[in-house]
Amino acid sequence: RHVTSELLYCPGGCGGYQRPCVLMFGDFHSNDKQMDEQGDRYYKWRKSVPEGKKLAIIEIGAGVTVNSVRHESETVACQYDAPLIRINPEYPELDGTWGKPRRHVGIPLGALEALSGIAQELSDDSTLGSG
């Protein structure tokens, strides 16, 4: 089934389709320059995080077929001794073979529902910010 919508076309008027900045299998039209710039900013940020800084890693929707995002989340959680919150309605599992598994949580919900619930819990927690 083919979907047509004005939202799918280039807002610049070239008549081409919009596309996410995501590399797909067999994709020969990705914007490598933009992806390289994003990667550079990410690694620059990682290097800038001060030692001992408290972080929480929130991973949203990373699948298991190509697990590079899941692996990166786990690596960063270990590197910074940070809890990992894995949000995925189909694959929330944490195998516990890395890091400190008691600090990590898998949430089997969609992104909006999970993040809304986390925000509600944080706003309800009167002990936050008191220590």
Side-chain angles (χ1 to χ4, degrees):
R1 182 174 175 199
H2 184 72
V3 178
T4 58
S5 166
E6 288 183 26
L7 296 176
L8 299 176
Y9 293 98
C10 172
C14 74
Y17 289 106
Q18 289 190 60
R19 55 169 286 143
C21 187
V22 175
L23 183 62
M24 306 297 274
F25 295 107
D27 187 355
F28 303 105
H29 302 289
S30 65
N31 185 339
D32 293 335
K33 181 178 183 273
Q34 184 178 7
M35 290 173 57
D36 290 343
E37 289 170 355
Q38 288 173 340
D40 290 345
R41 282 193 305 272
Y42 171 67
Y43 287 109
K44 185 176 180 179
W45 171 81
R46 280 196 47 191
K47 288 179 181 179
S48 75
V49 175
E51 192 171 323
K53 183 76 169 175
K54 291 185 178 184
L55 299 176
I57 309 304
I58 301 176
E59 174 195 282
I60 301 173
V64 296
T65 302
V66 178
N67 64 356
S68 54
V69 172
R70 292 169 79 93
H71 178 71
E72 179 70 10
S73 298
E74 294 165 2
T75 299
V76 174
C78 283
Q79 179 181 353
Y80 294 101
D81 193 28
L84 170 60
I85 301 166
R86 176 168 283 160
I87 299 170
N88 190 311
E90 295 177 14
Y91 305 105
E93 298 82 15
L94 298 152
D95 68 14
T97 59
W98 50 271
K100 298 176 181 175
R102 293 183 307 274
R103 298 185 64 203
H104 310 304
V105 62
I107 302 175
L109 299 172
L112 180 60
E113 186 177 3
L115 292 173
S116 296
I118 291 169
Q120 183 64 47
E121 287 295 319
L122 291 173
S123 69
D124 290 348
D125 191 339
S126 62
T127 63
L128 288 177
S130 65

